[in-house]
Amino acid sequence: MFFLKMYRSRKYLQRLLLTILLLVVLTSMLSSAVLFYYSEKTGLDVQYEANRKVLAQTKYNIDYLSEIVHNLGWSIYNDYEMANLFYNDENAIEDVYPPLRKLQNTVSTTNFLDSIMIYNSYNDTFYSTEYYPMDPRIKPLEDKIYGVISNYFKAGSVAPNTEWIPFRSDEGGAIEFFAFFLFEAVSGDPTTRNKSTLMMNVRTDWFFDNLQVINDLASEGSTTYVMDENGLILNPSRPGEPDHDEVSRILTAHISATGAETGFLTATVGSEKTIFTYITLENGWRIASLQPYDVVFSKILKLRWTYFSIAAALLLLSVVISFVVSQRLYRPIQQMVAKIGGADSGPLQEKDEINYILGVYNRVTDEMRFIRKSYDATKDIAKNYYLRTIVTNSSSFTKEQFRQCIEQNGLHIRPNGAKGVALLSIDDYKAFDQRTEYADRKLLMFAITNISEEIVSKRYRNEAVDVGDGKLAVLISAGEGDDPARLTEETAALVKEIQDVIKRFYKLSLTASVSPFREGHEKITELYQLAEDQALYRLVFGRGSVVTPARIEERAAREDAGPPQELERRWVESIHLGNVEAFRDLTAKLFDSFKELSYERIIHAVLHLVFLLQQTAKGMDKRKAGVSIPFAALNQKVLEQETLDDMSEYIQKTFARFADQNRAETEEDKNDILVDTIKEMIESDYMNMNHSLQSVADSLGMSDKYVGRQFKKRENIGVAEYINDVRLRYAVKLLEKERYTVKEIMEKVGFGNESQFFRVFKKRYGVTPGEYRVRQASR
């Protein structure tokens, strides 16, 4: 019972044992079948060769007998004592008896002769050793013999020696003897009695018995048949023998199909499978030997059972050996299972041992991969930390510390030599940040980092680091002997290639700023700040531009220029008149003139225009339903634009809405303005824990129901839900920076109740704030 229970609980051992047993059984059966097949085939080949030799011997015996009969006949035919029998034209008895007695002596001393007959064509008389002359019984015999002779001679020119003519006293009856005709070849009508003929008659029983004796000596249970050229079997029928007609039909059909005069075949005669071997004689006869298949292969059939008996014994032995071998093969598996969990563990009952081991291996591999990933993430975090520190506070490192930091973190920069910084900023980052999930943003920044490092590494050693807010700082280390005058120019070309690749693959626009190159690692932070200052000139050069010190220096000579006073006066006048077209044209011209100024003066000039627009609009504000364009937030909105063209367009749109409102404010326009105002109020005051639908409605001087209905009609969510979404968006950003506790973040984004914060956060992101921070840190 223990043995069966052990095998029942070990599925892999069962499969191993069954596989070995199945292979042994199939091999034994297949080898036995192949061995028996080849034994049978070899037996057939051997039997055919033996039968062919017997039939060849039989043919030789028949040919030899024919030669003996011919020689004996011609000796009689040429014997002068026989002349009276062949040529005497009278029937004198005293001349006939002496030669007849001599012939009788010849027949009696020869065991294969049945009789000898002579036909005298001169006196038209038959003489036979069977009858005395003038015996009345010879007359019918004469007629039959004469008929036979006539039939043969009617066929045309007959050879002097015609042999093995079957003679039947009755048509369809048994063959009485085989006749050999010997006569002189004379011309004339063969049907006339002008040829004296000698007939040597061979005994049929002696002939067939002799054939059978020869056959029995070589083949047990075989039967020999003689078939004439017409397919007629000449053997007398015997009880228990196969039907002659069926044998003749099978053999004739085979010879007709193959055309072989000598051959071997297996066919069914009656209900018994039979082996045929045949040979063709010169006179057209065929001698066939028939043997029962079971008799011939009785020994081979016995051998088959011997094979099967041996195979069965080997099978039993193989079962025992299979158990032993399978146990030995299974032992390492058993030891492994025991080490990793034991054979009676729960998971093992549901699967075989190999799958159980594989499952454990996969689990361990996953855990190791997770550990490795965590290690790599920690290593990358440390590397990025040091890179950020180098970029933002390089002076805190001594020269030796800087060298050690490079070696310990595997940074691809040189401790010595000129350094430079390229700053890549994502254009329209705020919109990009709102439409892209955090994980996607991290993945995209990772891709931009790798692409930037790969492209720059074609010329310089470098390291790229994400410095936040969609910006990537590439720290570039020049080699010894590089021309400082050309470093910035060559770096700008590489940065342009980066922009093209990112644009082509990610449909993302980048603005780049390339600092000059300077010696000393302590200058890196200064170069980074310079690159940031240069990046501000995206306002002038536009999105996707590459800002270099040379481009900024080209504008230095024109920095004192400013917008014409007359142009500004006409611009204010278009505001008073509410002329939208004139306002757009004049605004575009004003902002074009700002492009000649330095960045500080551009900002001053833009804010000056915004102030003029605000002051002029206050006197013209015609409020309807308590809604007005939020000019108070115009400064912030304009400064959020990334280029002067964007600023110009935003101011133009703002004034156009204001002008349209004063002309004919539709209900739809009011709702858009109202919702935009509500969203701006929420964005600017989301940190206020008391910020709610009621506070927004009170600030607008409207009912909370009206405000809530109009907001949900356009945004498909309620004001309270939108406030929570804004707070959660800022909470996620603070969680990713990891500088505040969860409670501090909750308070900073305006949640007053911790349980509400956790509930809303988990509903939105599926995890708690703490779990979210851990998950992001492990990536």
Side-chain angles (χ1 to χ4, degrees):
M1 293 298 292
F2 171 76
F3 184 76
L4 293 177
K5 182 179 179 182
M6 178 187 69
Y7 271 87
R8 188 163 50 247
S9 63
R10 298 174 180 177
K11 296 181 180 179
Y12 182 75
L13 181 58
Q14 294 175 18
R15 294 179 183 177
L16 190 62
L17 178 60
L18 291 176
T19 301
I20 295 174
L21 286 176
L22 183 61
L23 289 175
V24 171
V25 170
L26 289 178
T27 303
S28 300
M29 294 179 65
L30 184 61
S31 59
S32 298
V34 171
L35 186 60
F36 179 74
Y37 169 76
Y38 279 103
S39 298
E40 184 178 21
K41 186 176 182 300
T42 304
L44 282 173
D45 294 339
V46 171
Q47 188 62 44
Y48 168 65
E49 187 63 24
N51 291 349
R52 189 184 64 79
K53 292 180 180 179
V54 170
L55 292 180
Q57 182 63 41
T58 303
K59 178 179 181 297
Y60 172 79
N61 290 348
I62 293 174
D63 293 339
Y64 182 70
L65 179 60
S66 298
E67 185 178 357
I68 292 174
V69 173
H70 275 288
N71 292 336
L72 181 60
W74 284 116
S75 67
I76 294 172
Y77 195 87
N78 295 318
D79 190 349
Y80 71 94
E81 294 182 12
M82 302 297 167
N84 288 331
L85 295 179
F86 285 103
Y87 307 112
N88 193 1
D89 57 356
E90 296 180 0
N91 291 326
I93 296 301
E94 63 276 8
D95 295 331
V96 173
Y97 275 111
L100 278 178
R101 281 197 300 272
K102 188 175 182 178
L103 291 177
Q104 287 176 345
N105 289 334
T106 301
V107 171
S108 64
T109 57
T110 307
N111 58 358
F112 57 82
L113 287 179
D114 176 79
S115 61
I116 299 175
M117 295 181 185
I118 296 175
Y119 170 66
N120 188 330
S121 62
Y122 293 95
N123 59 17
D124 195 22
T125 302
F126 277 94
Y127 302 100
S128 173
T129 59
E130 293 292 315
Y131 303 101
Y132 289 104
M134 309 306 293
D135 190 324
R137 290 176 295 176
I138 201 171
K139 184 59 179 173
L141 182 60
E142 289 178 1
D143 295 338
K144 288 182 179 295
I145 293 173
Y146 181 74
V148 172
I149 294 172
S150 298
N151 288 337
Y152 272 94
F153 288 148
K154 284 178 182 179
S157 298
V158 181
N161 303 323
T162 304
E163 58 187 23
W164 297 111
I165 305 301
F167 185 85
R168 294 179 176 87
S169 59
D170 296 319
E171 186 175 356
I175 300 173
E176 296 180 6
F177 52 80
F178 293 103
F180 285 72
F181 293 162
L182 290 83
F183 57 88
E184 291 182 354
V186 296
S187 60
D189 185 359
T191 62
T192 61
R193 301 182 179 188
N194 60 357
K195 292 186 179 71
S196 294
T197 305
L198 173 64
M199 293 177 58
M200 304 289 290
N201 302 322
V202 177
R203 292 169 48 192
T204 56
D205 57 344
W206 180 91
F207 177 74
F208 289 118
D209 290 344
N210 188 53
L211 294 182
Q212 189 62 40
V213 168
I214 296 174
N215 192 71
D216 288 343
L217 289 175
S219 304
E220 181 182 355
S222 65
T223 305
T224 302
Y225 291 91
V226 179
M227 189 170 66
D228 64 14
E229 65 276 6
N230 297 318
L232 179 64
I233 293 179
L234 303 179
N235 299 58
S237 297
R238 297 178 184 178
E241 286 186 346
D243 182 62
H244 287 188
D245 292 337
E246 187 176 3
V247 172
S248 176
R249 184 174 63 255
I250 292 172
L251 198 55
T252 302
H254 175 77
I255 294 173
S256 177
T258 62
E261 297 297 331
T262 301
F264 183 80
L265 71 146
T266 303
T268 301
V269 180
S271 59
E272 187 174 16
K273 191 175 181 181
T274 306
I275 298 173
F276 287 73
T277 309
Y278 66 92
I279 191 171
T280 303
L281 304 180
E282 293 178 0
N283 63 352
W285 283 9
R286 295 182 178 92
I287 302 175
S289 174
L290 272 67
Q291 299 166 280
Y293 187 90
D294 292 340
V295 173
V296 174
F297 288 96
S298 58
K299 294 181 179 180
I300 295 179
L301 292 174
K302 291 179 181 178
L303 184 61
R304 177 175 63 181
W305 293 113
T306 302
Y307 290 156
F308 289 156
S309 300
I310 294 174
L314 290 175
L315 182 61
L316 292 176
L317 181 61
S318 66
V319 171
V320 177
I321 296 175
S322 298
F323 274 92
V324 175
V325 172
S326 62
Q327 281 287 352
R328 287 182 175 273
L329 293 176
Y330 180 74
R331 191 169 300 159
I333 304 296
Q334 183 181 10
Q335 294 173 354
M336 190 178 299
V337 171
K339 287 183 178 180
I340 65 176
D344 298 327
S345 60
L348 185 54
Q349 304 301 321
E350 303 173 1
K351 59 183 78 172
D352 63 40
E353 293 87 331
I354 295 297
N355 285 327
Y356 173 70
I357 294 171
L358 183 61
V360 173
Y361 171 78
N362 289 336
R363 187 170 66 251
V364 172
T365 303
D366 290 341
E367 291 175 358
M368 291 298 295
R369 189 181 295 113
F370 177 78
I371 293 171
R372 180 66 183 179
K373 186 177 179 181
S374 300
Y375 171 77
D376 291 341
T378 303
K379 186 177 179 181
D380 288 340
I381 290 172
K383 177 181 175 181
N384 289 336
Y385 164 76
Y386 284 107
L387 278 173
R388 289 194 192 100
T389 305
I390 290 172
V391 170
T392 58
N393 192 13
S394 59
S395 59
S396 63
F397 291 88
T398 65
K399 188 173 183 179
E400 181 61 23
Q401 288 174 339
F402 182 69
R403 186 187 62 78
Q404 290 179 355
C405 180
I406 292 174
E407 292 177 356
Q408 292 173 359
N409 294 280
L411 303 181
H412 297 285
I413 54 177
R414 292 186 173 90
N416 303 316
K419 305 290 190 299
V421 175
L423 186 65
L424 300 172
S425 304
I426 297 176
D427 295 328
D428 297 318
Y429 178 72
K430 184 176 181 181
F432 168 78
D433 182 59
Q434 290 177 346
R435 70 173 182 268
T436 309
E437 295 293 334
Y438 173 79
D440 294 335
R441 291 198 304 274
K442 295 292 288 184
L443 183 62
L444 185 58
M445 289 303 297
F446 176 76
I448 296 174
T449 300
N450 287 340
I451 292 171
S452 301
E453 289 179 344
E454 182 177 353
I455 291 176
V456 176
S457 65
K458 293 189 296 185
R459 181 67 180 84
Y460 305 109
R461 291 188 182 184
N462 70 97
E463 287 287 352
V465 60
D466 183 359
V467 293
D469 294 330
K471 296 179 181 179
L472 183 74
V474 183
L475 177 57
I476 302 171
S477 176
E480 295 181 4
D482 287 330
D483 183 7
R486 295 182 55 84
L487 289 175
T488 303
E489 181 180 346
E490 291 178 354
T491 301
L494 294 172
V495 168
K496 180 61 178 174
E497 185 178 349
I498 295 171
Q499 291 175 318
D500 294 340
V501 172
I502 300 303
K503 185 73 172 180
R504 184 167 65 253
F505 287 101
Y506 298 102
K507 311 301 180 187
L508 201 63
S509 174
L510 298 178
T511 295
S513 171
V514 181
S515 75
F517 280 74
R518 294 176 183 171
E519 293 283 345
H521 73 275
E522 65 279 358
K523 300 290 186 178
I524 293 176
T525 301
E526 180 182 337
L527 295 173
Y528 169 69
Q529 292 172 349
L530 181 58
E532 278 196 319
D533 293 341
Q534 291 178 178
L536 297 175
Y537 279 87
R538 173 172 55 185
L539 193 68
V540 176
F541 298 120
R543 297 179 182 84
S545 58
V546 179
V547 184
T548 61
R551 295 191 68 179
I552 296 175
E553 289 172 2
E554 290 176 0
R555 306 176 66 260
R558 301 190 297 270
E559 283 187 357
D560 293 334
Q565 294 295 323
E566 178 62 23
L567 187 60
E568 183 176 306
R569 184 189 63 77
R570 290 168 54 198
W571 182 74
V572 174
E573 183 178 343
S574 67
I575 297 174
H576 283 289
L577 297 175
N579 190 337
V580 176
E581 293 298 326
F583 181 84
R584 287 177 177 172
D585 182 60
L586 294 169
T587 302
K589 290 179 179 180
L590 283 171
F591 275 86
D592 283 341
S593 67
F594 294 164
K595 293 179 180 180
E596 305 296 327
L597 305 176
S598 64
Y599 178 79
E600 292 78 8
R601 295 197 60 192
I602 290 173
I603 298 301
H604 176 76
V606 170
L607 291 177
H608 174 68
L609 285 185
V610 172
F611 175 76
L612 290 177
L613 178 60
Q614 290 173 330
Q615 295 301 314
T616 305
K618 283 183 180 179
M620 302 172 59
D621 188 10
K622 299 177 180 179
R623 297 173 180 254
K624 294 183 179 180
V627 180
S628 177
I629 296 177
F631 284 107
L634 188 58
N635 285 343
Q636 178 183 350
K637 290 295 183 181
V638 170
L639 292 179
E640 286 176 357
Q641 306 305 308
E642 294 187 343
T643 66
L644 284 173
D645 292 336
D646 293 340
M647 292 179 175
S648 173
E649 184 178 355
Y650 186 82
I651 291 175
Q652 292 173 33
K653 288 182 178 179
T654 302
F655 179 74
R657 288 198 303 271
F658 174 74
D660 289 343
Q661 178 182 358
N662 281 299
R663 285 194 300 268
E665 183 178 350
T666 63
E667 185 65 29
E668 183 178 353
D669 292 336
K670 284 197 303 179
N671 186 45
D672 289 345
I673 295 172
L674 175 62
V675 171
D676 288 342
T677 302
I678 294 171
K679 291 170 72 174
E680 289 177 1
M681 294 174 68
I682 293 172
E683 288 282 351
S684 63
D685 200 24
Y686 69 91
M687 301 82 72
N688 186 356
M689 296 182 183
N690 297 321
H691 209 31
S692 63
L693 172 61
Q694 187 62 51
S695 65
V696 171
D698 291 344
S699 299
L700 294 173
M702 301 178 185
S703 67
D704 56 347
K705 292 183 179 179
Y706 176 79
V707 171
R709 184 170 62 252
Q710 296 302 322
F711 189 88
K712 191 167 186 178
K713 180 179 179 182
R714 175 180 164 184
E715 298 297 322
N716 294 322
I717 60 173
V719 173
E721 187 176 356
Y722 183 80
I723 293 172
N724 285 337
D725 284 349
V726 173
R727 289 170 173 171
L728 289 176
R729 188 169 72 244
Y730 284 99
V732 165
K733 291 181 179 181
L734 293 175
L735 283 170
E736 292 170 359
K737 293 181 179 180
E738 302 184 6
R739 289 184 294 183
Y740 304 101
T741 65
V742 173
K743 187 173 182 180
E744 289 174 340
I745 292 172
M746 176 195 75
E747 294 173 351
K748 282 182 176 294
V749 299
F751 282 101
N753 186 288
E754 188 173 356
S755 61
Q756 180 195 9
F757 175 55
F758 273 73
R759 184 178 68 256
V760 173
F761 192 95
K762 189 168 185 179
K763 181 179 179 181
R764 174 67 180 275
Y765 296 103
V767 293
T768 65
E771 291 171 344
Y772 181 86
R773 169 174 281 174
V774 171
R775 186 176 67 180
Q776 295 303 317
S778 64
R779 291 187 177 180

